[in-house]
Amino acid sequence: MSTEGRPRGQPPWVERERRGGAAGIVLRSLAGSVVIIAAYFLLPLTSRPDDRAILVLGTGLAGLGLLLSLQIRTILRSPFPLARAIEALAISIPLFLVIFSATYYLMGEADPAGWSEPLSRLDAAYFTTTVFATVGFGDITPVSELARSVVTAQMIGDVVLVGLIARVFVGAVKEGRRRQRADKQP
């Protein structure tokens, strides 16, 4: 034990998490999701014909990758690995959808002819969600090659996010629980 009353090598947030419990994690994840969605609808998004949308997409996906790697580490160290994994998904999925929604919105602003109809923020979020859910009603469609390319990237990202990331989080939960059992053994 360290002088602060926690096991050596244990981050200080782990003890705070123990006191707050799984309910605190769930509330934080809900609040995080609401903040991400509110930010999408409230923050200014402007585009010029210089295809800033692709920069937003690349930066957003790089940031999401960094966030996912940090979340995996947090799940492994957490006293509540399952709750932490749920929190990670509750933050990562809305963030992923908002990144693509903002990209589609900016692309629509820069080149309205790239889509079958003009895209409002709500239209872009709706389209992103229908692609993510693999519903694809066909009411909004990408027309330009750039728009189709970005939608294709989202479809691949959807499969990766749902399949691979979920598997990694489940593995991190199992590993976190295994470590908890090992820590309890004399």
Side-chain angles (χ1 to χ4, degrees), residues 38-61:
Y40 168 70
F41 284 102
L42 297 175
L43 291 176
L45 285 175
T46 57
S47 184
R48 295 182 295 207
D50 64 359
D51 291 327
R52 186 177 301 173
I54 302 305
L55 180 62
V56 167
L57 178 62
T59 304
L61 292 178

Side-chain angles (χ1 to χ4, degrees), residues 61-135:
L61 292 178
L64 179 62
L66 179 63
L67 175 67
L68 290 171
S69 66
L70 293 172
Q71 287 173 328
I72 290 167
R73 285 184 42 179
T74 302
I75 292 166
L76 289 170
R77 296 179 175 182
S78 174
F80 305 105
L82 180 58
R84 273 294 183 170
I86 291 168
E87 177 185 32
L89 288 173
I91 298 296
S92 301
I93 290 174
L95 184 58
F96 177 82
L97 296 176
V98 162
I99 290 166
F100 275 97
S101 296
T103 301
Y104 296 147
Y105 174 75
L106 291 171
M107 289 173 67
E109 289 288 303
D111 179 19
W115 300 91
S116 60
E117 63 182 69
L119 296 180
S120 67
R121 287 185 197 223
L122 184 59
D123 292 333
Y126 161 81
F127 176 76
T128 303
T129 304
T130 61
V131 171
F132 183 77
T134 68
V135 176

Side-chain angles (χ1 to χ4, degrees), residues 96-97 128 131-134 153-163:
F96 177 82
L97 296 176
T128 303
V131 171
F132 183 77
T134 68
Q154 183 199 340
M155 288 187 267
I156 293 167
D158 295 347
V159 171
V160 169
L161 187 68
V162 171

Side-chain angles (χ1 to χ4, degrees), residues 25-50:
I25 294 171
V26 171
L27 289 175
R28 263 196 331 269
S29 64
L30 178 61
S33 297
V34 168
V35 166
I36 290 167
I37 293 166
Y40 168 70
F41 284 102
L42 297 175
L43 291 176
L45 285 175
T46 57
S47 184
R48 295 182 295 207
D50 64 359

